[in-house]
Structure formats: C-alpha cells, structure tokens
Amino acid sequence: MTTLAIGFLLIAVLIALVLLGMQIAYALFGVAFVGIWIIRDNMGLAFRMLELTAYSGIADYLFATIPLFVLMGLLVSVSNVGRDTFEVAEELLRRMVCGLGVATVAANTIFAAVTGVSIASAAVFTRVAVPEMTRHGYRPAFAAGTVAGSSVLGMLIPPSLLLIIYGVLAEVSIGGMFIAGILPGIMLALGFVAMLIGVTMLFPGFVLTDPEAARVRRLDREFVKMPLPVMAAKLFPIVLLVLLVLGGLYTGFFTPTEAGGIGAFGALIVALSRRSLDRHRLWEVMKQTGVISVSILLLLIAASFYSRMLSIAGLPNAIAGLVQGSGFGPMGFLFFYAVIILLMGMILDSTSILLIMVPIAAPIAQGMGIDLSHFGIVTVLAVEIGLLTPPFGISVFTVHNTLNDPNVSVEQIFAATLPFIAVMLAVLVLVALFPAISTLFL
C-alpha cells in the first residue's frame, strides 16, 4: 500500500472514530501516531515527533489569546450584560415589525463582539429573549429558532474562537482574521434582520400565535418607556468592552494577546462593579476558563501532530495535484470544499471539522492562489451552518436543553432555523464569489 493510500485510509479511520464517540483530540493523536509509525516503519520516530509537537505546538506567545478571550466571555456572561443589551434593544425596536426578533439579533450581534462563543450566546438569550418573545405573542418554537439562528454570529464577528483556531491551523494572522470577519459578520446580521421582517410580513402565522392581536399590541405601545440615562447605563459596559478590545486591536494599538488581556480585565471590572461575582462564581469562572482553554490547546497540539502525519504521507500535495488535474479552478475548489464542510457539519462539531479539514485544505488553497484570510471566512461560514443543521445542530440542542419546554420539540426549533440557514447560505455564496468582502480592510 502506498503512503498516499495509507493517508486516505487514516482520514477515514479518524472520521469513523469521531462518529463512534471518541474524543477528537484522542482520535487525532492516535491516528497521527499510528500513521507516522506505519509510513516510516519506526515507532521511535512517532514518539519523538509527538514529543516535539507537544512542546512546539503551543509554545508561541500568541496562544495566550485563547484563555484570555475565554475568560472575558465567561465574565461577561455572569455579569448579565446580555440581558441588559436585549432589554435596550427591545425598547428601541419595540414598534418595528418582528421587533423582538430583530432585538434578539441586535443583542446577539453586540454580545458576539465580546464573547466570541456561539454556545454562550445561545444559552444566555434562551433565558432572556425566548420568555419575553413568547409573552408578546411569538410562537415559542420561532422564538427558540431565532435565538439559535442568531447565536451563530458569535463564531464570525470577532473576537471569535473559531477564527483563532483557524488562524493557528492555517498559520495566518489572528488579528487579520478578526478584521476579515467584520464585513461578513455585519452582512449576516443585516441579512437576519431583513429575513425576520420579510417572513413576518409574508407568513405571519409562522412567527406569531395571533398576528392581528400582536400587530395591535405593537402599535399601541409607547415608543420608549426606558429613560435614556438607564438605557445608557445598561449599554455602557458592553460598548466600553467593544471599544477597548476591537478598537485597540483594529487601530494596531494592541496585539491580539494584549487585546484579550485588556478585555478580560475590563470584563472583571464590569463583573465586580455589578456585584455579580462572588467567591463561588469567581471560582466557577476560573475553573471553566481552565477546562475550556486546556481542551482547545490540547486539540491544537493534536491537530499539529495530525498535520505533520499528513505531510509525511504527502497527502496535501497529492490532493492538490488531483484537484488541479480534475480541472477545478480556485472558485470550483472553493465551492467543492464548502459543500464538504456543509456535509460534515451535519455529523461533526465545528472544532472537529476545522481540525480535520484545515491542515489538508489550507495548503491546497494557498497553492491555488486563494487568500487564506478569505478562505478562512468561507470555512467558518460553512462550519457555522453546521451548528444549525440536523442531526448534530449543537446550537439548536443548546437552546432546546436550556429552554426545557416540553411543548417545544427539537424538530420545531430546527424548522424555525431554516430561514436563518437560507440567509447564511446566501452570504456564504456572496463571500466566496467576492473575496473583497472579507479582504477589504486587510
């Protein structure tokens, strides 16, 4: 058997192990170790490469961004900043068609610019937005679907953990990836808003339990009940954090690591000033930060080891040759790759997809002249869609489990996210066809 055939076989084994329930890190380590051992017929070499990878895989100062941004997101979550942001958005948008749905998207967009984690957004806004939307006449399943659909903004609008992981795997600037995600993230948020308004006007029964009563109630309400000073006080913490982190990052005043440190410190000040961080909560936040960060860093070491095995097997070069020989141009390869990611999103989580595919595909994309920042945004958009597609759909299951309403089934929430998936597919096609959308500010 040739080394190339062994490489393809090992990728199939890796996907099978993950589908059978093995942790992705252990599957990557095991497949890479066995692959190097078989290809070079040298177990000692496999051990030495594992040793080198374990040290060099995360030795760079840049990797400090991961625990810092995770800490910032967790501190923001316990500070009830998400709830306050939603309340302000609700007041400002209460008279708009599908105002609470638009408020959920707006609050999620702002919240995503601080936390960078879709699951956190889904959990927070399920508790905050769904009861409020249901109380005002929205169908519970649609309210849950709106939260699940808009929560994916956390993986595209910077700072995003997926963009950090992609930047590490593809060896591109994390700050550059953050900048590349700005315009596609804004497009996605605006697309969601337009879709919510359009669906409510065209299919009110899909959105509201009693469309006419909801319309009368919406028009009868005052435009703003919340005093402006109260509104400003509720928005001040999150606006300050966004300006600190993203403003410093985009002006070049901070490196990504420094931005993470400033953001975490700012989030700590916010949590302390709101008296939402007692000793027990602080311990929980620190413990969760450690668990999440170590898990991500272990995954990155495993992915680096797996990438070295692929290089030894000659897989990236071989696949690049097959792609070029098949007549695929850069755009054809990009769409073919996006389809593969979409299919994998139905059965694997987002991090697993990145860890499996980016080490193979990024060198091929670079060899075909595709900008790796543009390639990364296409990758993350395609991966995000997988957060909403059955049977995996982790964002949908997060909302369902957090809501814990026997009258709202997982199937109903999946159905309510279909318009969001349509918008995401449209944005994915636009970003793929027009690279300037992601590279304009680079």
Side-chain angles (χ1 to χ4, degrees):
M1 187 179 289
T2 64
T3 57
L4 185 60
I6 293 171
F8 279 115
L9 179 61
L10 288 171
I11 292 174
V13 170
L14 173 64
I15 295 173
L17 290 174
V18 174
L19 290 176
L20 289 172
M22 180 179 283
Q23 293 286 336
I24 181 67
Y26 302 138
L28 286 167
F29 275 125
V31 167
F33 184 88
V34 171
I36 295 170
W37 180 9
I38 293 173
I39 292 168
R40 291 298 173 88
D41 194 21
N42 189 335
M43 185 190 292
L45 176 63
F47 274 115
R48 283 196 296 276
M49 290 198 71
L50 177 59
E51 179 186 354
L52 288 171
T53 306
Y55 173 76
S56 63
I58 56 170
D60 197 295
Y61 167 73
L62 186 65
F63 287 93
T65 54
I66 292 172
L68 290 172
F69 278 121
V70 170
L71 176 61
M72 180 179 69
L74 291 173
L75 286 170
V76 167
S77 294
V78 302
S79 303
N80 292 323
V81 169
R83 181 195 63 196
D84 289 351
T85 306
F86 176 77
E87 288 176 356
V88 173
E90 178 191 358
E91 287 294 328
L92 293 175
L93 302 168
R94 63 168 63 243
R95 297 193 69 178
M96 180 182 282
V97 174
C98 196
L100 289 185
V102 175
T104 302
V105 172
N108 244 323
T109 303
I110 299 170
F111 196 68
V114 177
T115 59
V117 182
S118 290
I119 304 305
S121 297
V124 167
F125 288 102
T126 299
R127 298 188 187 97
V128 172
V130 173
E132 189 70 7
M133 291 179 73
T134 304
R135 188 168 67 87
H136 284 92
Y138 290 79
R139 290 177 57 244
F142 177 81
T146 300
V147 171
S150 58
S151 71
V152 299
L153 291 165
M155 284 303 173
L156 187 60
I157 294 179
S160 157
L161 284 180
L162 274 191
L163 291 178
I164 293 174
I165 292 171
Y166 173 83
V168 171
L169 294 174
E171 299 181 1
V172 296
S173 164
I174 290 176
M177 289 306 305
F178 285 173
I179 293 172
I182 297 174
L183 198 52
I186 293 172
M187 285 178 58
L188 200 57
L190 293 176
F192 287 163
V193 169
M195 176 274 296
L196 285 171
I197 294 172
V199 168
T200 305
M201 293 177 70
L202 294 173
F203 309 102
F206 181 72
V207 177
L208 304 161
T209 52
D210 187 344
E212 183 57 32
R215 188 184 70 84
V216 171
R217 187 164 55 245
R218 173 171 59 84
L219 294 176
D220 283 346
R221 283 186 289 178
E222 294 179 35
F223 180 60
V224 174
K225 292 181 180 178
M226 186 184 297
L228 284 177
V230 175
M231 198 179 298
K234 286 178 176 290
L235 280 182
F236 178 74
I238 198 162
V239 171
L240 180 64
L241 283 174
V242 170
L243 290 175
L244 269 176
V245 176
L246 301 186
L249 190 63
Y250 298 149
T251 58
F253 195 74
F254 302 144
T255 66
T257 307
E258 291 166 347
I262 292 292
F265 180 73
L268 177 62
I269 297 299
V270 170
L272 291 174
S273 66
R274 289 176 162 233
R275 302 182 185 278
S276 58
L277 197 66
D278 57 23
R279 187 176 46 148
H280 299 293
R281 280 190 175 179
L282 178 61
W283 169 246
E284 283 301 315
V285 165
M286 298 304 291
K287 187 168 69 173
Q288 286 184 50
T289 300
V291 169
I292 294 171
S293 301
V294 169
S295 300
I296 293 172
L297 293 171
L298 182 64
L299 284 169
L300 292 175
I301 293 172
S304 179
F305 192 39
Y306 165 73
S307 181
R308 294 185 183 200
M309 182 274 292
L310 294 176
S311 297
I312 290 174
L315 207 61
N317 291 334
I319 295 177
L322 289 173
V323 169
Q324 290 169 352
S326 66
F328 273 141
M331 195 56 62
F333 167 72
L334 199 59
F335 277 98
F336 179 68
Y337 168 75
V339 169
I340 292 175
I341 295 290
L342 290 172
L343 292 174
M344 292 183 74
M346 295 181 179
I347 54 175
L348 296 175
D349 66 280
S350 52
T351 306
S352 299
I353 296 170
L354 287 184
L355 295 171
I356 292 170
M357 293 300 296
V358 172
I360 300 172
I364 299 171
Q366 191 172 29
M368 299 185 78
I370 299 172
D371 184 275
L372 286 184
S373 296
H374 171 229
F375 187 70
I377 298 302
V378 171
T379 300
V380 171
L381 269 169
V383 166
E384 277 185 321
I385 295 172
L387 294 173
L388 301 178
T389 50
F392 196 77
I394 187 65
S395 284
V396 172
F397 281 104
T398 299
V399 169
H400 181 260
N401 292 336
T402 306
L403 187 61
N404 197 24
D405 185 347
N407 296 318
V408 180
S409 67
V410 174
E411 293 78 12
Q412 288 175 316
I413 301 176
F414 272 123
T417 61
L418 289 176
F420 290 89
I421 294 173
V423 172
M424 294 176 73
L425 286 170
V427 173
L428 174 63
V429 171
L430 286 173
V431 171
L433 289 175
F434 304 103
I437 293 173
S438 54
T439 60
L440 183 63
F441 300 121
L442 294 177

